[in-house]
Structures are given as structure tokens and as C-alpha cells.
Amino acid sequence: MAEAVLVALGKIGNVLADEATKGLLAKLSEKVSNLIDLDDKIEGIAKQLNTMKNVIQQIGTPYLADKVVKGWIGEVRKLAYHVEDVMDKYSYHSLHVEKGFLKKCLKGSHYVRVFSQIADEVVKIEKEIKQVIELKEQWLQPSQLVHDPHTEMERQRSQDSFPELVKDEDLIGIEDNRRMMTEWLYSDEMETTVITVSGMGGLGKTTLVTNVYEREKVNFQTSAWMVVSQTYTLDALLRKLLEKVTEQPSSPNIDRMDVHDLKEEIKRKLKDRKCLIVLDDVWNKEVYSQMRDAFQNSHASRIIITTRNNHVAAVAHLTRRIDLKPLGNAHAFELFCRRVFYIKKDHEYECPSHLMKTARSIVDRCQGLPLAILSIGGVLSSRPQTQYSWEQICNQLSTELSKNDHLRAVLNLSYHDLSGDLRNCLLYCSLFPEDYPMSRESLVRLWVAEGFVCSKGNSTPEEVAEGNLTELIYRNMLEVKETDELGRVSTCTMHDIVRDLVLCVASEEQFVCANDYATLIHMNKDVRRLSSCGWKGNTALKIKLPRLRTLVSVGAISSMPAMPFSVSSESSYLTVLELQDSEITEVPAWIGTLFNLRYIGLRRTKVRSLPDSVEKLSNLQTLDIKQTNIETLPRGIAKIKNLRHLLADRYADEKQTEFRYFVGIQAPKELPNIEGLQTLETIQANKDLAEQLERMVQLRTLWIDNISSAECANIFAALSNMPLLSSLLLAGRDENEALCFESLQPMSTHLHKLIIRGKWAKGTLDCPIFRSHGENLKYLALSWCHLWEDEDPLGMLAPHLPNLTYLRLNNMRSANILVLSADSFPHLKSLTLKHMHNVDELNIIDGALPCIEGLYVVSLSKLDKVPQGIECLSSLKKLWLLGLPGGFKAQWDLNGMQQKMVHVQEVRV
């Protein structure tokens, strides 16, 4: 749709905001007449693009299947891409306009020629705009448009057609939720209570609520089922509700009522009545708040809301929300068999043994999504039950599911409900392989590099992008895999079925190409984003992609190590180069010619050095060379003024047994010249570092390695004055270098993550970082920080760090007995005790760790007793007791601990 236009408009905005270029154009226009009104023409292009964006949004999703509409939108997309290319060229040459450089460049003809070419391109764009407008006026009249049958099919439900009744025996895997919801209907609350059922499309929200509603509505004096859907008006919704609660068809009197009168009439009808009302398929959280007045007079009524949006789900109290999840393997397979096989055996639907392996592969591919299971099951139920026939379906499963009208209609609604910037962000996720754990930090940096987001108010682009990620998760388009110490998503994944839809849309909109090489060679040269994840073969790639903006080659196989650079060598507009886990060994010097490059990802590759030409990458925002073999950075790195995230360290010991198992880089002295640097991982300390840090006031994340006791006071004092610091790692020169933390008194209240590796001076736990700043810390990892024999780190830290959610103690000497008192760490979710060789007893007093989910006790060579009170940790989900003395397991079994810990999902002893 209009996603490409948004990016182009952002690029135009950047160009028009550049004051330095205006001075250059004023001088150049004295020699070249077509430059006089260049900015005015660009501004006119922006207005036209913005209007086209609005027209596309006004056309709406019901008409997107219309071939004429799709063709016209395709022309708008090509126009936007052309604008983006020209604006990038404009921005690149504008960057060279600096003090003292203007006069020099005017002596020659280079800039006259360059900006004349840009002006000529702008004229071409104006002609293209005229053609696009003429096409619309000629072919896009409302009477000529055809509805999208997929979208319209699902929208018909908004006409209050009641869902098909689902039998109890067909409710697979949601029986517990049905039972819980029924209990809520008859709870003791006398006031109106809201119950919400949320989850991605196709999980069975309506199926569950339909079953409960049909069973229980007879016990309520009034009941009503309302389908809200995406398009609704409040007065129409209230009229429909009034008709249902009065059980009478619409009358002229009702049609004449306004919203206030409708609410008053509903209140009168429901007065002192016990009601059960379902609002199905709610997309806007305002729906209930706009309607709630109408339920004020009802007695012990229950409002059930189904939604795909967690913002909507939040209108109910936490104790009255059901968040549906995909079915587990057993339930998914049972549902599949019920759909496919009609012959029961012992009251079960049995899968023939010769089809079992293929059937399980098909079910696994559906990832527990009931609608997908039922859809593909419907296809297979009419096919011959032969292994050949089923394997054909299995190999073409993505195509089969994408052709299913109902499934595509359900998922399309979720996609089209997104704003343009959210669609761009979601489509981008299809560049990564199936089930790939996408890092929050990487996604945020990639989206910023692509220009999908910009700063809003006081928020940085990264903060806006993080908000977009949260919104996609709240809308159940992405799934949280792991969270961090602040409760933010750490990694996320995309459901395979959603990914299939997104890939289909991305391909139709020429947003992404994620096919294999054999498919690529038949595509046109206008491919803009390419994913080569999982490509096979070792054929030399000779294809040229001059319009390529993004290349993602995560985990490229060893037989094609040179593939990324052979593809991108002719791609002068390249913006993102993400080669994480690839087999590449070197970066070519010509990379410095890629003026548009904003993101380089080389994490865990075999690259040993960067060419000096990277200093020419003036637009570069992110350079990720973590866990490569790169030891030093080119001196010219400090010339990259726009660099925001520099991630660079390497493993010295991949087994992580040595004190300095990872080593930071030696940064050039000029590094503080990069004033916008937000992330710096990891830098080696030196005598000048404290002075350098004083100028790096934008840093949020900072990791420092190789700190000496002589330097630490000055370095820590400099760190204390950083206003935005949020994540900090401090590592000593070696395990015997004692660091004094008295000078570390952070002014930043954002500092929530602290990692310390190295020996402490005596009394460190009494320093301000723990005593005064302790309430701000959420994540604390301490390694090699040896204490005195009478010091219990758990007992000493607990009173001053009440908000910790993560604590890791590794390779520490301390007291023999560790005690967690009754009020210890009320918010802690993860506790790791590792290589604490003198600890022989761990006592957990009742009331300690009330929120703990993971307890990892590893390689405590003297701990031969079962931790006292461990069975009282009712919230525990994972328990590891590994590498302990031989007698520990015998004590565990003797005390019957396996039975006492039956509530813990994962126990390893």
C-alpha cells in the first residue's frame, strides 16, 4: 500500500531540513538556472506523494484485490522508490558541504554537474507524478472498483451473523479456559465485570466464547452477541444492542435516537437485570469505554470481549483476562485427526501408521494455530490417504495455506489494521528465517537505518522504533520469546503462518525478495531488499542489483562465503548489510563507496580487519563487529559523525573459563568526536579514557575492559556524570587487580544494568553504587568479585537492591553459608550461583524470592546438602542443580525432593 511513500516522504523531509545545502544551491544557481527552484519542486513532490498516500488509505482494504487498484498502487510505489533514490543522492552530496569546503567545490564543475543531474531527475519525477494522476482519474472511479472477496468475507461477520455453534467435543486444548471463564460468569462480584479473551487471529477466541455463551446464556435474564469488527459507529452499535436486549426489530423511534438517548434507553431496559453481553472482534480499546455508560444499571452483569489487540484486553482486570496461546503438540495433533479422519477407534480419530510421520510434519508446520490446522485438515480430508499425496501437500504447505480464503481473510484483517510505519516494520521481519529469534536491539537499529521511524518530540528514533515493536507484539503479530530485566522484549519470533502471509504481501508489494538464488536470477533488477538466508549451492553469483537497499544473509553457508559482496558490489544505494554468523573472512575496500550504508552487521563472522575506506561511510549509524577477529579499528572511524552504535569485542576464550574470556577493542583517541554515540561495547581502558568519556554524553550502553586500579577512580568519576547511562559493564585488567568503586556515584537514574568482573577493594558493597543507587538496579552480574570469609553477598545486597529482577554471582569467594531472608529480593525472577567453591549451605527462608522463576545453582563443589526451603518457591519454573558433589543427588532422592518440586516445569539435578 502506501508504505514506500512513507519512507520517501521521510527522505524528502531530511533533504529540505538541511540548511547547509541551501547555501550551496544559492551559489550554484548563479551558474545553473534549473537549480533556482529545486527545493520548491521537491516540496511540491512531497505534497503530491502525501496526497497519494491519503488516496490509497481512503480507497481502503476492501478494494485491494482489484487489479486496476493494485496496478495504480504499484505505479505509486515505483514513483516513491524513484524519489527515494534521488533524495539519497541529494543527501549524500549535501553531506560534503562543510565550512571551508564550499569555496573549494565551487572552483570546479563537479557539484554543478551533480546537482544539475539531480534537478533533471526531479523534472522526470514531476512528469511521472502527472502520469500517475492521469491514470487515477481515468481508471479509478468508485463505480469501477471491485471488492476483495477475502477481506469482504471476514467483514460480513460485522452484520451480526452468529458464529457456528461448536460442540464440546470439538473444543480441543481450551477446556481449562472454558471452565475458568464459566467460573468468572458466576463469581461474587455484584457490579458489571468485563472479561477479555485475546490472541492472534485464528486461535479460537470466538470458538471458545461461542461455546460458553450458548451454554450459559439461559442463566442470565438478558443476553446479546455483538460483532464489532474494525469498522463501527457508536450509534449503530448502540442501536443494535438495544434491538437485541428488547428482542424487537428496529423501529423508526430507535432510528431517530442519538447516542445519549440510546444509552438512556438501554440503561432503562437493563435496570436491575443480570446480563450476558459479548462484544466479539473488538479492535479499538475505546469501544467499551464509549459504551460502558449503557451498562450502569445492570446487576452482576458480565461483558465478554474478544480481541486481537492486548491494548483492548487491558480494559479487564488482570484476574479476568484470558490470553490464548497456540495449542501444544498433543492437542494440535488431536484436532488435526478429528478434522481429517472420520473413522473412530476406541472413541479416538486414528491416523494410519503410514501417514503418521507426514501428518506430524504438517501439524508442526501449523505451530498450534487451530485455524491453520483445520484449514489444511479440510484439504487433506478430501485427498487420497497415500503417502505420495500427503507429501505433495506437505511440500507445498505454505502455498496451500496462503490460498485458503478464510485463513487469509482472518490474517489479512490484522495486517491491514496496522498503520503504514507498523506495516513496514512487520514486512521487514520476513527477511529473517522461520523461527529465527529476532533481537529487539537489532530490529530497532535496522528499522531506524531503513528510515521507517524518526524522532518524535523528545524521543529518539530508537525509542520510537522500540514502541513500534511493542505495538506489533500487543497486536499479536509478533510473539515474545524472551524478556529482559525491565520486562521489555529481548527476542521475538513470527508465527510461521503469519510469516507466510507477510512474505506473500512483501512479494506482491516488491518490498522483500526472500527466495532462493534460482528464483532471484529470473527477477528484475529492481529488487530492493534481499534475504539469502538458507540459500544452497556454490555457484558464483553474477547478478547485478543496482537498486538493492538491504541484504540480509544471516548464517550463510560455508560454500558461498563471498556471496554477500558479489551480490552487493553494484548496489551503490545499499543501506543495510546484515551478515551475522556468515562465513565471510574479509570486507572489500570498495565498501567505502556505498555512501548510503547505515548498518553493517558482521557479528560472529571470521573477519579480521576493516578496510580504511569505512571512514567514508558518513551515513553509517550501526557497526556491529562483536565476536569477530577484529582487534583494532581504523583510525578514520572517528570521522563517521552519524555513528550511534558501535559494538566491538572478541572472544579470547570461547569456553569462558579465563578471567578475560572476551577482550575489548583499542579505540582511536578521536572517538569522542562522534557526539551522537549511544552504544559502545567493548572498549579497552587506557590513561586517556576518563577524559574521553567526559565528552561522550549521549552514551546509554557502555562496556569497558582492561581497567587498572590506578585508572578506575578517574574513569568511574567520569561515568558518574553521564546523564543517560543505562547499561554498564566494568572489567578489570586481571583477576588480581583490585578496583575501588567509591567514585562510582551515577547521576543517571536510568542506570539499571550493572555487570562487574574483577577483584574488589574491601568494603565495596558499602559503596554508593549499591547503597545510594541500589533501588535503580534491575540487573546485576558479579564475577571474580571475591569477598571476605564472613561476608554473605545475598544477605548484604538484599536490603539495598529491592528491585532486582536478575542476579548472577559467578566465581566468587564468600561466606560458607548463604541465607536468603524472608523479605529478600521481592521482584527477582532469575538467580544464578556458579563456581562459588567455598559455599556449603544455602538457606531459603519462607517468604524469600516470591517471584522467582529460574534458580540455577551450578558447580558449587562443596554444596552437598539440599537448599533448605527450596520447595517453598511456588513461582519457580526452572531449577538447575548441576555440577554439585556426588552425595547431593543421594540427599535429593532421600528427601523425596522430586515429588516436592512437582510444580516446577523443568528440574535438572
Side-chain angles (χ1 to χ4, degrees):
M1 296 211 345
E3 290 73 46
V5 176
L6 290 175
V7 177
L9 287 171
K11 297 290 179 73
I12 290 176
N14 292 336
V15 163
L16 294 178
D18 192 341
E19 294 294 331
T21 311
K22 293 179 180 179
L24 172 67
L25 288 179
K27 290 287 186 182
L28 291 176
S29 61
E30 296 174 2
K31 299 183 178 183
V32 185
S33 59
N34 66 349
L35 297 182
I36 295 175
D37 56 353
L38 181 58
D39 276 2
D40 291 338
K41 289 184 176 182
I42 292 174
E43 193 168 343
I45 290 171
K47 291 177 180 178
Q48 294 282 13
L49 281 177
N50 195 55
T51 301
M52 290 177 187
K53 179 196 72 173
N54 294 336
V55 168
I56 293 172
Q57 291 172 343
Q58 192 175 42
I59 289 173
T61 56
Y63 302 99
L64 292 179
D66 185 291
K67 291 183 179 179
V68 177
V69 172
K70 290 175 71 173
W72 183 75
I73 292 176
E75 292 302 315
V76 174
R77 186 184 303 115
K78 285 198 296 186
L79 170 65
Y81 285 157
H82 189 185
V83 171
E84 185 184 0
D85 291 345
V86 174
M87 292 304 104
D88 279 338
K89 186 182 294 185
Y90 192 124
S91 296
Y92 166 67
H93 293 296
S94 299
L95 282 171
H96 292 78
V97 181
E98 298 177 359
K99 290 183 179 179
F101 190 65
L102 180 60
K103 185 177 180 180
K104 177 181 177 182
C105 72
L106 288 174
K107 289 181 179 178
S109 60
H110 173 69
Y111 271 78
V112 171
R113 183 175 68 255
V114 165
F115 279 90
S116 291
Q117 290 172 352
I118 291 173
D120 291 341
E121 289 291 332
V122 168
V123 171
K124 289 181 182 178
I125 289 171
E126 289 179 319
K127 291 179 180 177
E128 291 172 12
I129 288 174
K130 186 177 180 181
Q131 292 173 349
V132 171
I133 293 173
E134 289 173 352
L135 283 173
K136 178 190 177 299
E137 292 174 347
Q138 184 174 1
W139 299 108
L140 261 68
Q141 300 305 315
S143 60
Q144 299 170 309
L145 302 181
V146 179
H147 277 70
D148 177 359
H150 293 164
T151 306
E152 194 62 21
M153 179 194 312
E154 190 64 13
R155 288 183 183 279
Q156 287 300 318
R157 297 204 313 113
S158 64
Q159 304 304 314
D160 282 333
S161 56
F162 189 77
E164 181 182 351
L165 180 62
V166 181
K167 299 177 182 179
D168 289 357
E169 57 265 29
D170 292 332
L171 284 173
I172 306 297
I174 55 177
E175 297 87 347
D176 290 342
N177 286 324
R178 181 185 65 190
R179 188 162 45 249
M180 183 165 55
M181 183 181 294
T182 304
E183 290 174 0
W184 292 347
L185 292 182
Y186 301 110
S187 59
D188 296 333
E189 292 105 334
M190 299 306 295
E191 69 277 5
T192 298
T193 301
V194 180
I195 299 167
T196 57
V197 181
S198 60
M200 67 179 289
L203 277 179
K205 301 180 292 296
T206 300
T207 298
L208 168 64
V209 175
T210 302
N211 184 270
V212 173
Y213 178 82
E214 280 298 293
R215 287 159 54 104
E216 308 302 332
K217 68 180 181 180
V218 295
N219 298 320
F220 290 79
Q221 293 168 292
T222 301
S223 61
W225 180 288
M226 306 276 294
V227 179
V228 180
S229 199
Q230 287 168 301
T231 55
Y232 78 94
T233 60
L234 182 57
D235 56 344
L237 208 55
L238 290 171
R239 286 190 183 93
K240 186 65 67 175
L241 177 59
L242 183 56
E243 290 174 19
K244 287 179 176 290
V245 298
T246 57
E247 298 181 352
Q248 294 177 358
S250 178
S251 67
N253 186 41
I254 291 179
D255 291 339
R256 287 192 293 268
M257 290 182 181
D258 60 16
V259 168
H260 177 267
D261 293 337
L262 288 166
K263 286 184 178 181
E264 290 300 313
E265 185 64 15
I266 292 170
K267 281 195 286 186
R268 190 178 68 80
K269 293 290 185 182
L270 299 183
K271 186 175 182 180
D272 299 327
R273 296 176 69 83
K274 187 177 181 181
C275 308
L276 175 60
I277 296 173
V278 174
L279 301 177
D280 186 30
D281 201 20
V282 176
W283 295 79
N284 190 333
K285 65 181 179 181
E286 303 301 325
V287 170
Y288 179 68
S289 63
Q290 291 171 341
M291 295 182 67
R292 64 188 305 170
D293 295 350
F295 307 123
Q296 283 182 354
N297 290 351
S298 58
H299 177 72
S301 293
R302 302 293 180 257
I303 314 296
I304 302 176
I305 296 174
T306 71
T307 181
R308 308 183 193 191
N309 191 323
N310 289 353
H311 291 300
V312 177
V315 303
H317 190 273
L318 271 172
T319 60
R320 293 294 182 267
R321 299 181 202 170
I322 293 176
D323 182 17
L324 282 192
K325 300 296 182 185
L327 298 176
N329 292 338
H331 284 136
F333 194 72
E334 182 183 352
L335 179 63
F336 174 80
C337 291
R338 283 179 180 271
R339 179 65 166 163
V340 179
F341 305 112
Y342 299 105
I343 301 175
K344 292 185 179 180
K345 180 179 180 181
D346 298 330
H347 304 289
E348 293 185 1
Y349 296 80
E350 186 178 82
C351 176
S353 57
H354 69 285
L355 297 176
M356 184 67 74
K357 183 178 179 181
T358 308
R360 291 201 178 278
S361 295
I362 292 172
V363 174
D364 289 346
R365 183 71 177 77
C366 293
Q367 288 193 321
L369 190 68
L371 183 57
I373 295 168
L374 293 172
S375 298
I376 199 64
V379 173
L380 289 168
S381 65
S382 61
R383 297 293 179 91
Q385 292 187 7
T386 64
Q387 188 171 350
Y388 174 76
S389 176
W390 277 43
E391 285 180 351
Q392 275 190 316
I393 296 294
C394 186
N395 293 334
Q396 302 168 14
L397 192 58
S398 296
T399 304
E400 288 292 338
L401 290 173
S402 65
K403 289 191 303 184
N404 183 276
D405 290 346
H406 185 41
L407 178 61
R408 181 155 186 176
V410 168
L411 297 179
N412 263 340
L413 279 180
S414 293
Y415 172 75
H416 290 304
D417 191 56
L418 300 175
S419 59
D421 57 338
L422 289 177
R423 287 180 194 160
N424 275 332
C425 293
L426 182 66
L427 292 175
Y428 202 82
C429 294
S430 64
L431 283 163
F432 297 95
E434 285 183 5
D435 303 322
Y436 186 81
M438 296 175 287
S439 156
R440 179 194 80 249
E441 293 177 332
S442 293
L443 277 180
V444 162
R445 292 164 187 161
L446 286 165
W447 291 345
V448 171
E450 291 281 356
F452 296 160
V453 294
C454 56
S455 57
K456 293 181 181 179
N458 294 325
S459 298
T460 64
E462 287 83 359
E463 290 167 339
V464 176
E466 194 165 315
N468 284 2
L469 178 59
T470 300
E471 187 67 21
L472 288 172
I473 290 167
Y474 264 71
R475 289 170 175 265
N476 288 290
M477 300 303 286
L478 297 176
E479 303 172 1
V480 176
K481 193 78 171 176
E482 295 177 333
T483 57
D484 68 4
E485 63 280 358
L486 294 181
R488 302 174 302 185
V489 58
S490 179
T491 57
C492 61
T493 57
M494 184 185 290
H495 192 286
D496 282 356
I497 306 302
V498 176
R499 183 175 180 272
D500 289 339
L501 166 71
V502 171
L503 271 175
C504 186
V505 174
S507 177
E508 288 176 358
E509 300 199 357
Q510 299 176 21
F511 185 92
V512 161
C513 173
N515 303 87
D516 57 20
Y517 177 56
T519 305
L520 178 65
I521 58 177
H522 297 294
M523 298 186 66
N524 63 47
K525 62 183 180 181
D526 291 329
V527 172
R528 298 181 81 83
R529 295 183 184 88
L530 174 65
S531 171
S532 64
C533 306
W535 281 16
K536 297 179 181 179
N538 54 10
T539 306
L541 303 186
K542 300 178 181 179
I543 190 168
K544 294 182 179 180
L545 302 173
R547 301 299 179 195
L548 189 67
R549 297 307 186 101
T550 299
L551 175 60
V552 174
S553 185
V554 176
I557 59 175
S558 57
S559 59
M560 303 174 69
M563 183 277 297
F565 294 117
S566 63
V567 167
S568 58
S569 60
E570 301 292 329
S571 309
S572 59
Y573 289 104
L574 198 69
T575 303
V576 167
L577 188 60
E578 174 57 278
L579 308 178
Q580 185 178 131
D581 293 306
S582 300
E583 294 289 329
I584 60 169
T585 57
E586 60 180 334
V587 177
W590 55 256
I591 197 172
T593 65
L594 302 179
F595 68 88
N596 207 35
L597 202 57
R598 286 166 165 80
Y599 184 106
I600 298 178
L602 302 174
R603 183 175 298 205
R604 291 188 296 275
T605 62
K606 298 179 180 179
V607 174
R608 293 185 173 275
S609 63
L610 292 175
D612 291 336
S613 61
V614 295
E615 69 178 50
K616 298 179 182 179
L617 301 176
S618 51
N619 280 314
L620 190 65
Q621 298 172 357
T622 296
L623 177 61
D624 186 352
I625 53 174
K626 284 179 76 73
Q627 298 169 34
T628 63
N629 296 319
I630 298 172
E631 297 185 11
T632 58
L633 292 171
R635 292 198 61 179
I637 199 80
K639 295 181 181 179
I640 308 177
K641 303 295 186 182
N642 288 318
L643 193 63
R644 301 162 74 88
H645 308 283
L646 176 56
L647 303 102
D649 52 49
R650 68 186 190 283
Y651 274 136
D653 170 30
E654 292 194 12
K655 295 182 179 179
Q656 301 186 20
T657 57
E658 299 295 327
F659 174 79
R660 290 188 69 190
Y661 68 87
F662 70 93
V663 180
I665 52 143
Q666 297 177 6
K669 293 181 179 180
E670 297 81 8
L671 195 63
N673 293 338
I674 309 175
E675 296 179 356
L677 201 62
Q678 296 180 17
T679 307
L680 181 55
E681 302 177 10
T682 304
I683 186 172
Q684 288 195 31
N686 56 54
K687 61 183 178 61
D688 300 318
L689 182 59
E691 183 181 349
Q692 291 175 314
L693 291 175
E694 289 176 357
R695 296 163 54 194
M696 303 171 76
V697 295
Q698 293 297 317
L699 280 173
R700 273 84 165 164
T701 299
L702 176 60
W703 290 14
I704 306 175
D705 172 40
N706 199 39
I707 304 173
S708 69
S709 56
E711 298 162 350
C712 66
N714 290 334
I715 290 175
F716 294 170
L719 294 175
S720 300
N721 293 323
M722 289 186 171
L724 303 174
L725 195 62
S726 64
S727 178
L728 179 63
L729 178 144
L730 303 168
R733 180 174 295 174
D734 58 51
E735 59 187 284
N736 298 313
E737 194 85 18
L739 305 181
C740 177
F741 287 81
E742 190 65 39
S743 302
L744 188 57
Q745 303 182 36
M747 67 176 292
S748 172
T749 57
H750 304 289
L751 181 58
H752 66 272
K753 184 172 185 176
L754 179 61
I755 305 170
I756 298 176
R757 172 175 287 266
K759 187 177 180 180
W760 284 354
K762 186 171 175 57
T764 293
L765 287 178
D766 293 322
C767 287
I769 183 61
F770 297 113
R771 295 299 176 105
S772 303
H773 190 82
E775 290 189 356
N776 296 317
L777 292 178
K778 302 290 180 64
Y779 181 112
L780 180 63
L782 307 175
S783 300
W784 301 83
C785 308
H786 301 315
L787 305 178
W788 300 91
E789 293 182 0
D790 60 342
E791 292 182 321
D792 172 5
L794 297 178
M796 297 177 74
L797 290 171
H800 306 290
L801 285 75
N803 296 314
L804 274 189
T805 60
Y806 179 98
L807 176 60
R808 176 184 175 91
L809 305 179
N810 180 34
N811 264 308
M812 289 181 66
R813 287 196 300 268
S814 67
N816 295 342
I817 301 175
L818 303 183
V819 180
L820 286 156
S821 59
D823 56 352
S824 295
F825 304 113
H827 301 291
L828 198 67
K829 292 186 176 181
S830 179
L831 173 60
T832 299
L833 305 173
K834 187 175 182 180
H835 293 301
M836 301 179 71
H837 298 298
N838 55 328
V839 173
D840 56 23
E841 191 172 332
L842 174 61
N843 297 329
I844 305 171
I845 309 303
D846 190 21
L849 308 179
C851 298
I852 196 72
E853 296 179 357
L855 176 59
Y856 310 95
V857 181
V858 180
S859 299
L860 271 59
S861 55
K862 292 186 179 179
L863 184 66
D864 55 1
K865 307 181 194 70
V866 175
Q868 180 183 331
I870 195 170
E871 66 276 8
C872 297
L873 302 178
S874 58
S875 61
L876 199 60
K877 296 178 181 178
K878 286 186 179 182
L879 175 62
W880 291 11
L881 299 164
L882 304 175
L884 305 180
F888 182 89
K889 184 64 166 63
Q891 286 284 330
W892 180 267
D893 294 337
L894 183 64
N895 293 343
M897 295 305 298
Q898 201 66 36
Q899 290 72 33
K900 293 179 181 179
M901 305 304 293
V902 69
H903 62 283
V904 182
Q905 298 172 9
E906 179 183 326
V907 178
R908 299 187 188 182
V909 182

